[in-house]
Amino acid sequence: MTEKAEFANLLQESRMFEPSEAFKAQANVNDNSLYERADEDFEGYWEDRARELEWFQPWNTVLTWEPPHCKWFEGGKLNICHNALDRHLDGPRRNKAAIIWEGENYDTRTLTYLQLHREVCQFANVLKGLGVKKGDRVAIYLPMVVEAAVAMLACARIGAIHSVVFGGFAPESLRDRINDCEAKVLVTEDGSTRRGKALLLKDTADKALEETPCIKKVVVVKRPYGDPYQCTMKEGRDLWYHDLMAKADTDCPCEEMDAEDPLFILYTSGTTGKPKGVVHTTGGYAVGAHSTCKYVFDMKDTDIFWCTADVGWVTGHTYIAYGPLMNGVTQIMFEGVPNHPHNGRFWEVIEKYRVTIFYTAPTAIRAFMKWGEEIPQKFDLSSLRLLGSVGEPINPEAWIWYHTYIGREGCPIVDTWWQTETGSILMSNLPGVNGMKPGKAGLALPGVCIEIVDDQCNPLATGSGLLVIKKPWPSMLRTIWGDDQRLIDTYFSKWDIQTYFAGDGATRDEDGYIMVLGRVDDVLNVSGHRIGTMEIESVLVEHPKVAEAAVVGKQHEIKGQAIVAYVSYKGDVSHVSEADIAELKKFVADKIGAIARPDEIYVSHDLPKTRSGKIMRRLLRDIAEGRELGDTTTLADPSVVEEIRKQLA
Ligand code: 7RM
């Protein structure tokens, strides 16, 4: 049997992979002590984790739980920027590389802890100079450049609340996010390249800025690419980052923040059309970010950590901007993509910087598999000691491939389950403690109360059910910005007000290992990105020719899920051309961003509905996946299904 065929047979993989004795011996934790401590004293366990940070003033109360609201470490005062930077400046980490940045075009830039601290202090003073005060919101719309981390840390330093918007979002998405939180300042850049093509962020931002009255000032980072990326600067509103920085004082003390003061807002897709502004606070989030880096990623002073996520997503917040810096490691920040200018770019970066811990998404791993193991085999990956996966379920074949060709069978893999709402990893094996099962995130972390329940919320020892969390955890979302009722409606209303419903389905095996199966609601996971079906539907119906739209997910070899849209047309359906379909796809990409572009669109005179008028989504999923259609007798108009089927390739 060829190796490829062997991999194809791994769907039923059930082996347990134990960490090596060598890995265990050096791990930050290699016994059950953390689990035992959390079991005997839940609050005491989290206090131990909080004591691993520096506080200006200790807390009085560990936890106040008035479901669904929690407060952690009340009375405590700290600053997360102090923990990420200032606290490393008195010792040997002062002149250690904090961030090594690698640009898409192989430019590099390294900032030591001291240099990063200086740049952050200066930018904090810039923000103050623009009138930003504690509690004000600052929107950040930047690609993967050092200034993104600088801007986030600078906000944290002065107590401003940042709202980072992924650089791939379209003007309207940016506009809505700015307006929802009423940001005062926007930080963006003139332009750069993505896959060698121009990415003109300021031009996009300018379109959003036409309808964002709350924005008073725009700070523009100038990239060293020269004229092709020249942007327009609006007099009195738009200012160059480098001009402001040249005049900024390097001294800026940290604001003493209450543990429960908001740190950031991050918008995420849900089951309704409007993205939710997930609010995280300072103390609990810092504890979650720091402790998961220390115990899940086993971070030590000697590590070179690389998380490939974008800072625009929660993974980039917790495992680029905050967690690694709080642990004092050196990290790589990579602007590029895996396959530009060649398919081995990631492995080249690992070889170049001797990366020791690598954290990426299953969608990337599946793409690498397709390109072939010959590519990573050309590079020296021997520096790697630990691998991580996040964003979606990792199928066992991809896990084994990752373990074999990237980990060379010597690196533990942490399959980390968490969400924008959870702030930090809640489920994963601890790499020096428990064995790994391919495709299974494994066990809840110590101090995290995850259960798998049936429809009535009865806990299941084994088998399939829904993933819930029964007790609050420090980095839990506190509210939805401006809409606290949505916190209740979305997460705490399926059964009782104490049970957090994550929206995921999962199964648990005899060893207690959990496999997260994916969303059970109307949220798609496309290449690890969360996109609400409703979000796409509401854009589609804005198109003059579209009467109704229904969007479903379809299994995709690399992306996990592909987006399939069904629309009913206002005009004559028989004349719909390929160009019309292409126009609809572009319409969605232009309004939300390229990540939401439908892979397939089918047009019919009506959508398949029940006689009571409900769109039959299950049927649409079956059509998309090419499955046998079950009972279609409840269809109001069976001809619709035939009409759609004729368009299938
Ligand atoms: C970190 C992040 C959250 C959703 C979540 C799941 C899915 C994330 C895993 C996973 C299986 C994993 N935040 N998910 N990690 N599914 N195994 N290790 O991705 O808010 O963007 O998405 O992602 O469905 O609910 S997120």
Side-chain angles (χ1 to χ4, degrees), residues 166 269 310 313 363 391-392 523-532 559 561 595:
F166 172 59
S269 296
D310 192 283
W313 308 115
T363 184
E392 53 180 315
V523 176
L524 304 181
N525 191 327
V526 181
S527 301
H529 300 312
R530 260 169 81 165
I531 304 163
K559 299 199 271 193
Q561 278 189 303
I595 54 165

XYZ file of all heavy atoms in Angstrom, residues 166 269 310 313 363 391-392 523-532 559 561 595:
158
model
N -10.353 42.562 11.011
C -9.525 41.802 10.075
C -9.357 42.569 8.764
O -10.342 43.077 8.200
C -10.190 40.437 9.841
C -9.557 39.611 8.763
C -8.220 39.245 8.839
C -10.307 39.174 7.673
C -7.639 38.473 7.844
C -9.735 38.405 6.678
C -8.389 38.057 6.766
N -19.118 36.285 14.178
C -20.374 35.941 13.529
C -21.221 35.047 14.407
O -20.716 34.186 15.109
C -20.099 35.216 12.221
O -19.437 36.068 11.352
N -4.058 35.474 11.954
C -4.016 36.922 11.748
C -4.433 37.618 13.050
O -5.315 37.118 13.760
C -4.999 37.302 10.630
C -4.798 38.733 10.160
O -5.237 39.671 10.868
O -4.202 38.905 9.082
N -8.163 38.051 14.163
C -9.003 37.025 14.779
C -8.593 36.844 16.231
O -7.503 37.254 16.625
C -8.865 35.680 14.045
C -9.079 35.792 12.578
C -8.140 35.568 11.625
C -10.282 36.163 11.885
N -8.678 35.773 10.369
C -9.983 36.135 10.503
C -11.569 36.502 12.299
C -10.939 36.443 9.534
C -12.517 36.812 11.332
C -12.201 36.774 9.967
N -7.060 23.695 8.061
C -7.226 24.010 6.641
C -5.866 24.161 5.959
O -5.661 23.707 4.831
C -8.111 25.270 6.458
O -8.325 25.476 5.087
C -7.498 26.507 7.069
N -9.123 26.082 15.302
C -10.044 26.746 14.380
C -11.158 25.851 13.895
O -12.220 26.320 13.540
N -10.902 24.551 13.833
C -11.915 23.618 13.344
C -11.445 22.216 13.704
O -10.292 22.021 14.097
C -12.072 23.765 11.825
C -10.751 23.646 11.130
C -10.827 23.781 9.625
O -11.722 23.176 9.029
O -9.968 24.456 9.068
N -23.863 28.661 11.849
C -22.569 29.305 11.682
C -21.688 28.373 10.867
O -21.578 27.186 11.170
C -21.922 29.626 13.047
C -20.529 30.214 12.857
C -22.794 30.588 13.843
N -21.084 28.911 9.809
C -20.185 28.097 8.988
C -18.756 28.265 9.486
O -18.421 29.262 10.117
C -20.255 28.543 7.526
C -21.633 28.529 6.869
C -21.515 28.981 5.421
C -22.243 27.133 6.948
N -17.936 27.276 9.196
C -16.522 27.373 9.528
C -15.748 27.137 8.227
O -15.537 26.016 7.804
C -16.167 26.333 10.593
C -14.784 26.579 11.169
O -13.892 27.053 10.459
N -14.594 26.250 12.429
N -15.372 28.233 7.599
C -14.687 28.153 6.307
C -13.223 28.482 6.537
O -12.899 29.593 6.949
C -15.313 29.146 5.291
C -14.620 29.048 3.940
C -16.803 28.895 5.142
N -12.377 27.522 6.338
C -10.935 27.676 6.597
C -10.681 28.233 7.993
O -9.817 29.076 8.190
C -10.291 28.614 5.573
O -10.477 28.115 4.279
N -11.442 27.762 8.945
C -11.240 28.204 10.328
C -11.852 29.564 10.626
O -11.717 30.067 11.726
N -12.518 30.172 9.653
C -13.160 31.465 9.892
C -14.646 31.275 10.111
O -15.312 30.564 9.375
C -12.958 32.407 8.706
C -11.525 32.692 8.409
N -10.633 33.043 9.389
C -10.824 32.662 7.260
C -9.447 33.226 8.844
N -9.529 32.995 7.555
N -15.143 31.964 11.114
C -16.564 31.870 11.422
C -17.360 32.829 10.572
O -17.105 34.017 10.565
C -16.763 32.259 12.879
C -16.895 31.101 13.770
C -16.824 31.582 15.175
N -18.082 32.110 15.624
C -18.336 32.312 16.908
N -17.430 32.055 17.816
N -19.500 32.766 17.275
N -18.344 32.314 9.876
C -19.204 33.163 9.052
C -20.647 32.726 9.263
O -20.964 31.548 9.139
C -18.830 33.032 7.554
C -17.344 33.373 7.349
C -19.700 33.943 6.700
C -16.790 32.893 6.052
N -21.491 33.662 9.597
C -22.889 33.328 9.816
C -23.613 33.207 8.479
O -23.432 34.054 7.605
N -10.961 23.469 2.839
C -11.497 24.558 3.656
C -12.355 24.081 4.824
O -12.770 24.882 5.646
C -12.348 25.485 2.784
C -11.558 26.141 1.660
C -12.249 27.351 1.116
C -13.189 27.019 -0.003
N -13.633 28.237 -0.730
N -15.384 23.670 5.247
C -16.692 23.895 4.659
C -16.586 24.887 3.518
O -15.759 25.805 3.555
C -17.671 24.456 5.699
C -18.286 23.389 6.592
C -19.391 23.964 7.439
O -19.204 24.912 8.189
N -20.587 23.382 7.337
N -13.562 36.379 2.364
C -13.796 35.119 3.078
C -15.247 34.662 2.985
O -15.537 33.496 3.207
C -13.402 35.194 4.573
C -14.092 36.367 5.270
C -11.900 35.256 4.759
C -14.021 36.267 6.783
